Amino acid sequence: TVLERGIYRKIGDIILGVYLRINEDDGKLCTTLIDNTYLDKWELSKEDVLEQAMDNTVKMAPPRFCRGCRKVRGCFQCRNGGIPIKEFSPTENERRYGCFLSTDKKTNGATAVFYPGVARMICLAYGTQAIYIVPTSIHEVAIHDSRYTEDVEMLSKCLEAVIQESTPDDEVASNHVFMYELETDRITEVM
């Protein structure tokens, strides 16, 4: 439906669609797809609407790094509400083994890495030229510093295992590993 009628951006096999948030109660999010026919009604381009949607989303669900993660209902949850991206300074373990990024809502948090400037801020916090992004569910992504990742295939195998063992089918964001590079300022699918 998103591909046929929605307003979206596609990165690899991930589709970032524009939805209207109708309600949110008890951790359950109620949304509806914004039909692409609204582009003509609003007299806006697809890119303008996508940019506005991302700006609104980052305000409604700011990105957070998770420390002290635990698995809850097949996804990783922060024990402490998370650390705002602008305040994040990775520990040595997070540099070597990765950490999780979600949102303060912890619902559909995997999109946070696609917010404008977020992947760039992560690279700057890590002091690295590139990061690997592993979408463990629709709710979060694992972030890995490229300097400590010798085997991207291993990240892919870990993702496969997490999805198979812990992620409900309707919460799988992607079966692929992505990379963000400072030089190109782009997220691309790598495996």
Side-chain angles (χ1 to χ4, degrees), residues 18 37 39 51 53 56 67 71 75 79 82 108 116-117 127 136 142 145 150 156 162 166 172:
V18 178
T37 58
L39 293 173
E51 185 178 328
N56 290 337
R67 288 206 168 119
K71 267 192 196 175
C75 66
R79 287 193 180 127
N108 297 328
T136 52
D145 187 332
E150 296 175 16
S156 183
V162 166
S166 303
V172 174

Side-chain angles (χ1 to χ4, degrees), residues 31-191:
T31 63
T32 186
L33 177 69
I34 301 294
D35 196 287
N36 61 25
T37 58
Y38 279 94
L39 293 173
D40 290 335
K41 292 175 187 176
W42 293 334
E43 297 180 358
L44 292 170
S45 72
K46 173 184 162 184
E47 285 307 312
D48 287 340
V49 172
L50 284 164
E51 185 178 328
Q52 287 180 21
M54 281 298 205
D55 288 345
N56 290 337
T57 304
V58 77
K59 291 173 192 167
M60 291 186 300
R64 295 280 193 266
F65 276 99
C66 299
R67 288 206 168 119
C69 290
R70 61 189 165 96
K71 267 192 196 175
V72 176
R73 294 179 307 200
C75 66
F76 294 93
Q77 297 284 322
C78 300
R79 287 193 180 127
N80 61 359
I83 301 163
I85 194 154
K86 291 181 180 179
E87 298 172 18
F88 181 69
S89 179
T91 65
E92 187 59 30
N93 275 346
E94 288 168 335
R95 288 180 188 283
R96 292 191 175 282
Y97 306 113
C99 62
F100 289 94
L101 179 77
S102 187
T103 64
D104 66 342
K105 306 270 187 217
K106 298 171 196 76
T107 302
N108 297 328
T111 60
V113 76
F114 298 101
Y115 295 170
V118 168
R120 180 175 186 71
M121 285 190 278
I122 295 169
C123 277
L124 296 175
Y126 270 88
T128 188
Q129 292 298 308
I131 55 170
Y132 289 106
I133 301 162
V134 184
T136 52
S137 85
I138 60 172
H139 302 299
E140 74 286 316
V141 295
I143 302 292
H144 295 273
D145 187 332
S146 64
R147 296 172 299 182
Y148 294 101
T149 306
E150 296 175 16
D151 186 1
V152 180
E153 191 171 326
M154 183 57 75
L155 286 180
S156 183
K157 288 178 182 176
C158 288
L159 173 60
E160 183 180 321
V162 166
I163 288 172
Q164 186 174 8
E165 296 170 17
S166 303
T167 308
D169 290 344
D170 63 339
E171 294 185 3
V172 174
S174 176
N175 294 313
H176 300 280
V177 175
F178 296 80
M179 177 182 240
Y180 170 82
E181 295 178 276
L182 264 177
E183 185 178 323
T184 62
D185 193 30
R186 289 186 58 219
I187 296 175
T188 56
E189 186 180 293
V190 293
M191 179 168 274

